[in-house]
Amino acid sequence: MTTRLTGTPVQRTEDRRLLTGTGRFVDDVLVGPGTLHAAVLRSPHAHARIVDIDVDAVLDLEGVHLVWTHEDLAALSAPLADPLPLLIPHPALTHGRTQHALAREEVNHVGEAVAFVVADDRYVAEDAVERIRVTWELLPPVVGLEQARAGERLVHDDVPGNLGARLEQGTADARTMAAALDAAPHRLSLDLEVERSACTPLEGRGTVARWDPDSDRLQVWTSTQTSTGVRAAVAARLGLDLGQVDVITPDVGGGFGVKINHPWPEELLVPAAARALGRVVKFTEDRREHFVASAHERGQLQHLEVGSADDGRLLALDVELWHDHGAYTPYGLIVPIITSTQLLGPYKPELYRVVFESLYTNTTMVTPYRGAGRPQGCYAMERTMDAIAAHLGRDRTEVRAANFIQPDEFPYDQGLVFQDGRELEYDSGDYPALLEKAKALVGWDDFETFRAEMAAQGRRVGIGLACYVEGTGVGPYEGAHVHVETSGKVKVATGLTTQGQGHQTVFAQLVADELGCRFEDVEVVTGDTRRMPYAVGTFASRAAVMSGSAIHLAARRTKEKALRIAADALEADEADLEIVEGSVRVKGSPGSAIDLGTVAVLSNPLRYAFDEASKAATQFSVGDPGRPPVAEDDEPGLEGKDFYSPERATFASGIHAVVVETDPDTAEIRVLTYAVVHDCGTLINPMIVEGQIHGGVAQGVAGALYERMAYDESGQLLNASFMDFLMPYVTEVPDGIAIDHQETPSPLNPLGIKGAGEAGVIPSAAVFAAAIEDAEGIPVTRMPMSPSDLFDLRNAHQRQEHPS
């Protein structure tokens, strides 16, 4: 039998292409002298009314082909002038607001698109943008959650108190919760803050479009996490049928959530311009544009009231969250919903109530960024666990163990509604075993000896630990198509996109295992609506669960058909056949066999012979003359298509632990040890999972210790460049991360898998806050924590301890 590939660390097939510079990204598409280039005039103000836009100085500029403001869009297509779609409406989002492709009367953050220019090259386009004159009436900006909550200034005149949404969930109402807190033996209050940050992918946003008047068809290449979503948006806004629009996602240099939002203004303006001009039009975002005009995440204020028992069990947890969603809400309430529900992690408080308010500010809008609300929720809960332990004088791991959901309690219903509208019901896990693995991996039980040794050398160290549960693989569906060519090559298509996760490798492993073909014969295509027009997208750690399951089912269909056809050709019973290394053979009789490529030939009865392979498939060569060439319940070709739609999300879990050293003089924070124990169910490719964890940890370190979006009182982003935005180098990322795996397969899909893409980043703020607090002996309630922040925290604590 062929060696099973699932669970094997197969080398990534994508790497050679990407590492040798032969990958093809959006900016590599349709490069040539006939391609026109676009640039966007963006607002320099956080909040202002547009009094007038004068484009006269641009109209006669040599090399300029088109200049648009909002007034021009309605003439092209009425929907093009409407506000961009609110992608995920929710009953609690009572005041949802989205931007226009080009600002209509008002701008609400620095970087908002105001005018659009297409020229011979980007240099001319940028020069033209600078000649556009806008008369502004400045309005007072709302910057930060405190100002938004005050409600004295409004981002949108028709949104009272800047309140976009308020949502309450829980297993207790306010009165019951208050009584439980009053009755608890121990009560604590916590006020926490997570500052705003953002992802910075290597490749910014980019879109290229070509209109073919002969076929009346539009082709769009875009750096997105949802090619089918962009296709639907472009068709709807340009008044085209879906069948007239092809969206292709080539290689993507990082997504991390920001590219799941769609359509961006340029994803509509570029195709509209290509159609209007009959020329190829390209837009490539520059780095400053990405900082101010894409999307951010993370910013929240949190207040928790905690009631616990003597052994640390959570008797009552009452949570208030204030979420900064920036100027617009195109992605609805997904981030705060995830925070409020995933906050519970692996624990089972007796009573839980959460209320969040999502507020407008005159800053760049907020949409999901790797972790998507989970880091904030994990931070709140893990800080709570540490606070209970400190209050009771108990070991932090003992308090966690006292609150764990036990292995025999799955499936476990938390009594909440998750982001997919389904019950928050955990499918499987073993949290006590995770904790024991994590303690062993980081050396938890021996740490006090290590601390004493370091103290003798004048060094200050601390240890932290954080647990999390991650909802993964949310629906509604994904599909797959598996097609065996007459050459024996196997072509696989799935609709979600890839941004470097190793999909081509992992999906090929699944096909090779189920179909029985050679791994090297499998070619996987993602994110091309010509190959798979129905799909959802890549987000929420869903690719392996959703597309992996669909590919497995499609490969099974293909296998069943191959065995049926081969049984006729070999005059054998289907049950006696197997497929090994791309050959269908009789079990125990390898000499009686037929290649998959030949089976593909036989699957397609032909009228004409146009090559050597087709000769074997003509009407005189294949089939029973007494039966129709194609059976009533069959179709030509050796292929299978299937879709997977889950009843609810799967829930991965894990624990991160870190040992840090904090310099007594400089307040620098150095990572000494970083350990991860992770459970994503069945491992398809352990090496790729570990790569995902390494990347997530690097991003988590960045978010916990370095990266933040710094706005001034006028709404200007002060660090909108890599000169000012503090990112860690490889020297700051932990070297030699210790990783251990646990596999509790999910019962919800045929492969038993759970997602792994965001796990590395979720507990970072929580675990570093715990370790820094342990090293310093000072409560840590605000993240991220830079050396200067730690220095200020020390001084504030000293003043508090010694007021005189």
Side-chain angles (χ1 to χ4, degrees):
M1 293 291 292
T2 304
T3 301
R4 187 166 174 81
L5 294 176
T6 298
T8 304
V10 175
Q11 197 73 31
R12 285 168 38 117
T13 58
E14 301 93 332
D15 288 347
R16 177 175 294 275
R17 173 170 53 83
L18 296 173
L19 293 174
T20 57
T22 56
R24 286 186 60 78
F25 300 84
V26 168
D27 204 46
D28 298 315
V29 173
L30 298 179
V31 176
T35 297
L36 303 178
H37 295 262
V40 179
L41 174 66
R42 302 192 181 277
S43 169
H45 305 294
H47 199 193
R49 190 167 288 115
I50 300 171
V51 177
D52 181 63
I53 304 178
D54 183 357
V55 299
D56 288 346
V58 182
L59 296 177
D60 296 326
L61 186 64
E62 185 177 354
V64 171
H65 295 260
L66 175 151
V67 183
W68 282 343
T69 64
H70 181 269
E71 291 181 356
D72 300 302
L73 301 184
L76 296 166
S77 168
L80 196 58
D82 291 339
L84 299 182
L86 199 165
L87 294 167
I88 307 178
H90 190 281
L93 184 56
T94 53
H95 292 79
R97 298 292 182 269
T98 61
Q99 70 186 102
H100 292 79
L102 294 172
R104 189 176 62 178
E105 294 170 347
E106 184 176 303
V107 293
N108 288 296
H109 69 89
V110 172
E112 187 165 349
V114 175
F116 181 73
V117 174
V118 177
D120 284 340
D121 57 46
R122 183 64 179 261
Y123 301 101
V124 175
E126 294 282 4
D127 288 344
V129 161
E130 290 183 2
R131 297 189 181 202
I132 298 173
R133 293 291 173 259
V134 181
T135 303
W136 303 97
E137 178 190 342
L138 299 187
L139 301 171
V142 177
V143 183
L145 280 167
E146 294 291 359
Q147 203 168 66
R149 290 173 63 190
E152 296 173 0
R153 299 176 177 179
L154 297 180
V155 176
H156 303 285
D157 289 341
D158 58 348
V159 181
N162 297 306
L163 184 62
R166 183 184 187 276
L167 181 62
E168 178 175 342
Q169 285 201 73
T171 56
D173 59 23
R175 179 177 296 179
T176 304
M177 178 60 70
L181 288 167
D182 288 340
H186 304 276
R187 181 165 179 174
L188 298 169
S189 294
L190 292 167
D191 286 291
L192 306 171
E193 181 177 357
V194 180
E195 293 189 60
R196 176 184 282 229
S197 186
C199 60
T200 52
L202 286 172
E203 179 195 26
R205 297 177 296 116
T207 302
V208 182
R210 174 173 61 190
W211 173 258
D212 185 351
D214 295 326
S215 61
D216 205 28
R217 197 173 189 85
L218 180 68
Q219 282 189 307
V220 180
W221 291 260
T222 189
S223 187
T224 184
Q225 292 173 236
T226 173
S227 52
T228 51
V230 173
R231 179 196 191 205
V234 169
R237 293 304 170 108
L238 269 61
L240 299 169
D241 296 335
L242 270 178
Q244 289 179 275
V245 181
D246 299 320
V247 174
I248 305 107
T249 302
D251 290 321
V252 174
F256 308 119
V258 70
K259 294 176 183 176
I260 190 60
N261 188 62
H262 64 280
W264 292 100
E266 299 82 9
E267 286 177 323
L268 297 178
L269 297 170
V270 168
R275 187 183 183 195
L277 296 170
R279 298 276 296 275
V280 174
V281 178
K282 175 181 289 190
F283 167 77
T284 303
E285 176 184 66
D286 66 31
R287 186 54 57 181
R288 176 172 171 78
E289 285 179 303
H290 186 81
F291 272 105
V292 300
S294 56
H296 299 165
E297 226 252 63
R298 303 293 194 247
Q300 281 185 5
L301 296 175
Q302 306 171 335
H303 176 75
L304 300 94
E305 293 290 333
V306 185
S308 70
D310 291 337
D311 62 356
R313 285 180 300 111
L314 262 176
L315 303 178
L317 181 62
D318 198 16
V319 179
E320 291 181 276
L321 305 171
W322 293 272
H323 175 71
D324 181 353
H325 62 224
Y328 300 109
T329 55
Y331 218 72
L333 300 178
I334 292 299
V335 174
I337 286 175
I338 293 176
T339 298
S340 62
T341 54
Q342 294 278 262
L343 185 150
L344 292 174
Y347 311 114
K348 49 176 182 180
E350 289 190 10
L351 295 176
Y352 176 60
R353 175 178 173 268
V354 61
V355 179
F356 73 71
E357 292 186 347
S358 197
L359 295 148
Y360 286 105
T361 59
N362 288 117
T363 56
T364 303
M365 66 186 181
V366 166
T367 65
Y369 159 38
R370 194 177 193 175
R374 297 175 185 86
Q376 300 95 307
C378 182
Y379 175 68
M381 179 56 94
E382 294 302 300
R383 292 279 69 209
T384 297
M385 288 291 159
D386 288 339
I388 292 172
H391 176 75
L392 298 176
R394 300 178 68 91
D395 185 278
R396 289 170 281 170
T397 62
E398 290 178 7
V399 170
R400 287 168 169 82
N403 287 284
F404 277 155
I405 299 163
Q406 297 302 305
D408 62 356
E409 294 182 286
F410 291 97
Y412 190 88
D413 189 349
Q414 290 280 21
L416 304 172
V417 178
F418 192 41
Q419 62 146 317
D420 56 358
R422 306 297 177 95
E423 293 80 7
L424 187 75
E425 184 176 293
Y426 296 176
D427 49 330
S428 65
D430 188 341
Y431 307 140
L434 278 176
L435 181 60
E436 291 308 310
K437 283 176 174 283
K439 288 173 65 178
L441 207 57
V442 77
W444 184 273
D445 291 338
D446 300 324
F447 182 73
E448 290 309 318
T449 302
F450 177 71
R451 191 200 302 272
E453 292 172 356
M454 294 296 101
Q457 301 173 29
R459 298 171 66 182
R460 187 180 297 174
V461 296
I463 192 168
L465 177 143
C467 310
Y468 64 93
V469 169
E470 179 194 0
T472 74
V474 297
Y477 72 90
E478 286 297 340
H481 180 242
V482 176
H483 177 225
V484 180
E485 299 279 0
T486 57
S487 63
K489 298 292 183 182
V490 182
K491 309 292 186 178
V492 181
T494 187
L496 56 66
T497 62
T498 187
Q499 300 94 47
Q501 297 94 329
H503 292 158
Q504 282 89 349
T505 304
V506 169
F507 294 158
Q509 287 179 249
L510 295 176
V511 172
D513 275 350
E514 183 59 30
L515 183 56
C517 60
R518 289 180 289 268
F519 171 80
E520 56 270 22
D521 285 340
V522 182
E523 176 193 291
V524 178
V525 172
T526 61
D528 188 337
T529 63
R530 299 169 300 181
R531 297 283 296 275
M532 178 55 68
Y534 296 101
V536 180
T538 303
F539 58 94
S541 300
R542 68 191 299 274
V545 176
M546 301 299 300
S547 277
S549 295
I551 285 169
H552 170 79
L553 295 172
R556 178 175 294 176
R557 285 185 179 274
T558 309
K559 179 181 181 179
E560 290 169 353
K561 185 168 185 177
L563 294 175
R564 186 170 69 249
I565 295 168
D568 283 343
L570 295 172
E571 298 181 345
D573 191 281
E574 288 180 44
D576 295 330
L577 298 180
E578 62 182 358
I579 307 177
V580 180
E581 293 292 320
S583 177
V584 188
R585 68 188 190 188
V586 178
K587 297 174 184 176
S589 180
S592 182
I594 183 172
D595 289 340
L596 273 177
T598 304
V599 177
V601 171
L602 300 178
S603 71
N604 183 22
L606 298 173
R607 176 72 175 178
Y608 306 110
F610 44 80
D611 59 15
E612 288 301 315
S614 65
K615 288 181 182 179
T618 60
Q619 59 186 329
F620 296 107
S621 301
V622 66
D624 183 345
R627 295 185 302 182
V630 179
E632 187 174 311
D633 59 348
D634 208 348
E635 59 186 30
L638 182 53
E639 56 190 302
K641 180 186 286 188
D642 214 328
F643 290 84
Y644 171 70
S645 182
E647 55 184 283
R648 60 182 183 275
T650 61
F651 287 86
S653 57
I655 299 176
H656 288 207
V658 66
V659 176
V660 303
E661 179 178 3
T662 57
D663 191 286
D665 299 317
T666 66
E668 289 179 279
I669 302 162
R670 190 160 69 94
V671 180
L672 302 182
T673 303
Y674 202 102
V676 177
V677 183
H678 183 57
D679 181 356
C680 59
T682 303
L683 289 169
I684 302 173
N685 188 315
M687 180 175 62
I688 287 179
V689 171
E690 292 191 7
Q692 288 276 23
I693 291 171
H694 276 262
V697 168
Q699 240 167 344
V701 169
L705 302 180
Y706 298 94
E707 298 175 353
R708 58 161 56 88
M709 292 296 172
Y711 279 96
D712 68 11
E713 66 279 358
S714 64
Q716 294 290 335
L717 186 59
L718 300 177
N719 57 340
S721 76
F722 283 159
M723 293 292 290
D724 305 300
F725 182 72
L726 189 61
M727 288 196 304
Y729 296 122
V730 69
T731 49
E732 282 75 51
V733 175
D735 186 23
I737 300 167
I739 298 176
D740 197 0
H741 298 287
Q742 176 175 286
E743 294 185 65
T744 58
S746 172
L748 300 179
N749 61 72
L751 297 168
I753 53 181
K754 308 172 187 178
E758 296 170 271
V761 76
I762 291 170
S764 300
V767 76
F768 278 104
I772 295 167
E773 182 173 283
D774 185 55
E776 295 286 322
I778 303 172
V780 174
T781 60
R782 179 176 182 174
M783 293 296 281
M785 179 69 67
S786 68
S788 58
D789 293 322
L790 180 55
F791 189 84
D792 292 340
L793 184 64
R794 286 173 177 172
N795 288 338
H797 180 72
Q798 190 172 20
R799 287 194 299 271
Q800 186 177 2
E801 292 291 304
H802 307 285
S804 58

